[in-house]
């Protein structure tokens, strides 16, 4: 089963995806980290962020790997080309660089193929911006998670304080989020938008546990419906 969680930056997708994966015993695939890793590698290699062909070569030539702790579905480490970039890809500089990188058609093509290969090998919670619309349009559960601009900015500032990386200036963070929203929603390739059959969840005034429980319930319902369909199909043969 695939659970696709899409939404804008700072909506809580990563937190929700990790919690849902843990509760259901699924694996969690952080597609955003993959694009961030490509952005980091491009900057390290001196590749212009508007050079689609060169960015595509980075995405194809540098293997991205996730490190897991046994029994934990959430990846703990991220590496690209054998270099651990777990912390390096969570900076304000990468926040600004990842939008043009993720908009590059050649990068998306290279990483979507890898995401599909990984996701179809088991039960995954996958979060990003085009998971339910492009990467896994056949996902059994699709969610579009959002929150108000102001709430997302406050969350990102708290997150940056906790991590000790990234800007902690609220106005700067808010401006960056809005700029990224505009860029992600208006790009020609795989723009940010809800899938037609996605459940839309606004987490602004909700406890995160309620959002997690709602997604888990939807997954269990989809699993039950799939089992019933299988039994029905078997009985007809």
């Amino acid at each position: 089963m695939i659970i696709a969680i899409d939404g804008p930056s700072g909506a809580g997708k990563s937190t929700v995806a990790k919690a849902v994966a843990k509760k259901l015993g699924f694996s969690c695939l952080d597609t955003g980290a993959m694009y961030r890793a490509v952005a980091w590698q491009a900057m390290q290699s001196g590749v212009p962020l508007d050079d689609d062909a060169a960015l595509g070569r980075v995405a194809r030539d540098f293997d991205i790997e996730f490190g897991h702790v046994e029994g934990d579905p959430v990846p703990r480490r991220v590496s690209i080309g054998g270099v651990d970039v777990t912390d390096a890809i969570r900076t304000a500089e990468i926040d600004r660089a990842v939008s043009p990188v993720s908009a590059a058609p050649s990068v998306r093509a290279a990483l979507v193929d890898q995401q599909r290969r990984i996701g179809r090998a088991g039960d995954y919670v996958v979060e990003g911006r085009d998971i339910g619309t492009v990467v896994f349009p056949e996902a059994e559960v699709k969610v579009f998670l959002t929150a108000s601009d102001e709430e997302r900015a406050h969350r990102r500032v708290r997150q940056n304080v906790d991590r000790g990386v990234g800007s902690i200036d609220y106005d700067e963070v808010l401006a960056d989020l809005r700029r990224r929203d505009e860029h992600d929603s208006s790009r020609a390739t795989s723009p940010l938008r809800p899938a037609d059959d996605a459940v839309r969840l606004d987490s602004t005034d909700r406890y995160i546990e309620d959002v997690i429980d709602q997604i888990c319930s939807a997954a269990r319902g989809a699993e039950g419906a799939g089992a019933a369909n299988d039994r029905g199909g078997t009985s007809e043969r």
Side-chain angles (χ1 to χ4, degrees):
M1 175 183 287
I2 295 291
I3 300 173
I5 303 177
D6 291 312
S9 179
K13 300 187 303 296
S14 180
T15 299
V16 169
K18 291 173 183 177
V20 168
K22 286 184 178 180
K23 291 193 73 169
L24 296 178
F26 284 25
S27 296
C28 189
L29 177 58
D30 186 352
T31 62
M34 299 173 74
Y35 287 101
R36 286 174 173 271
V38 172
W40 180 88
Q41 185 61 60
M43 295 175 72
Q44 292 296 306
S45 302
V47 173
L49 299 184
D50 59 354
D51 188 332
D52 178 74
L55 290 173
R57 286 192 291 272
V58 171
R60 290 191 304 272
D61 295 345
F62 289 86
D63 291 336
I64 299 172
E65 297 179 350
F66 292 96
H68 291 263
V69 175
E70 187 175 355
D72 187 349
V74 179
R76 296 298 183 87
R77 313 301 298 176
V78 184
S79 66
I80 182 167
V83 178
D84 188 322
V85 293
T86 306
D87 296 326
I89 63 174
R90 302 295 179 180
T91 66
E93 184 179 28
I94 298 300
D95 284 349
R96 291 187 289 270
V98 71
S99 282
V101 170
S102 62
S106 62
V107 173
R108 302 203 72 84
L111 295 188
V112 164
D113 286 344
Q114 184 174 354
Q115 292 157 13
R116 287 173 175 166
R117 175 181 55 80
I118 295 171
R120 287 170 177 164
D123 294 322
Y124 274 87
V125 181
V126 191
E127 58 97 355
R129 284 168 175 72
D130 62 349
I131 306 305
T133 54
V134 175
V135 184
F136 294 109
E138 76 282 8
E140 290 87 345
V141 177
K142 300 177 187 177
V143 174
F144 191 82
L145 181 64
T146 189
S148 69
D149 295 354
E150 294 76 14
E151 176 63 20
R152 291 189 291 131
H154 280 300
R155 291 176 184 174
R156 180 55 56 85
V157 169
R158 290 194 297 269
Q159 183 183 54
N160 290 348
V161 169
D162 291 341
R163 294 182 310 183
V165 294
S167 175
I168 59 173
D169 181 285
Y170 170 80
D171 290 333
E172 179 182 352
V173 170
L174 179 61
D176 280 345
L177 285 175
R178 286 174 169 166
R179 182 163 50 247
R180 186 171 182 188
D181 287 350
E182 174 62 24
H183 192 287
D184 291 348
S185 299
S186 61
R187 67 191 182 205
T189 303
S190 302
L192 171 67
R193 67 174 181 82
D196 292 339
D197 53 348
V199 176
R200 304 189 188 199
L201 298 180
D202 188 327
S203 65
T204 303
D205 296 316
R206 297 183 62 182
Y207 289 113
I208 199 69
E209 291 80 6
D210 292 340
V211 174
I212 293 164
D213 287 344
Q214 184 171 346
I215 296 173
C216 288
S217 294
R220 294 184 183 110
E223 186 176 44
N229 289 337
D230 288 343
R231 288 194 298 272
T234 300
S235 66
E236 292 173 0
R237 289 194 292 269

